[in-house]
Amino acid sequence: MTSEELILSQAQELRRGTVVLACLALLEEPQYGYALLETLNDAGVTVDGNTLYPLLRRLEKQGLLTSEWNTDEARPRKFYRVGPEGSAVRAGLVREWQDLVASMARLTKENE
């Protein structure tokens, strides 16, 4: 495996844990799955549908998201939104993220 391939592989591992936080942050306003997928990808949080849709169902089952079907259009869409428990978890994850970023900044600065 080349260095570039290793970097890509490890970068994917770094991003994997950020998808939950990104979803909880973005779903303050209701969105359906495909729109959320596009928003995440446009923001540089690369995720595919085979990862996102099971994640949304899991977060809903955990009580972090609520969902509602919109049948006003020809094609029904399931909209997701952060629930009260999801808002509390998001706040905790943001604190954890900020602590982690600060720690990594210190570690990487020390190794320069």
Side-chain angles (χ1 to χ4, degrees), residues 88-104:
V89 169
R90 180 186 61 229
L93 290 176
V94 167
R95 284 190 303 275
E96 290 292 327
W97 175 259
Q98 291 168 338
D99 290 347
L100 182 59
V101 167
S103 295
M104 292 307 297

Side-chain angles (χ1 to χ4, degrees), residues 6-65:
L6 285 169
I7 291 169
L8 289 172
S9 173
Q10 294 304 315
Q12 182 179 7
E13 289 298 318
L14 285 173
R15 285 191 300 269
R16 186 169 289 153
T18 64
V19 177
V20 169
L21 178 55
C23 287
L24 292 175
L26 288 172
L27 289 172
E28 189 64 35
E29 296 296 323
Q31 289 191 54
Y32 62 96
Y34 187 74
L36 178 61
L37 186 66
E38 287 185 325
T39 302
L40 288 167
N41 286 323
D42 289 347
V45 181
T46 308
V47 62
D48 66 27
N50 293 329
T51 300
L52 182 63
Y53 293 110
L55 172 67
L56 292 172
R57 288 190 294 272
R58 180 171 56 88
L59 294 175
E60 183 178 22
K61 188 175 181 181
Q62 292 172 339
L64 304 180
L65 298 180

Side-chain angles (χ1 to χ4, degrees), residues 54-91:
L55 172 67
L56 292 172
R57 288 190 294 272
R58 180 171 56 88
L59 294 175
E60 183 178 22
K61 188 175 181 181
Q62 292 172 339
L64 304 180
L65 298 180
T66 60
S67 68
E68 183 176 298
W69 283 96
N70 180 335
T71 57
D72 294 342
E73 297 179 21
R75 184 175 177 200
R77 294 183 173 160
K78 189 174 188 178
F79 281 75
Y80 293 91
R81 182 182 194 133
V82 172
E85 184 70 20
S87 292
V89 169
R90 180 186 61 229

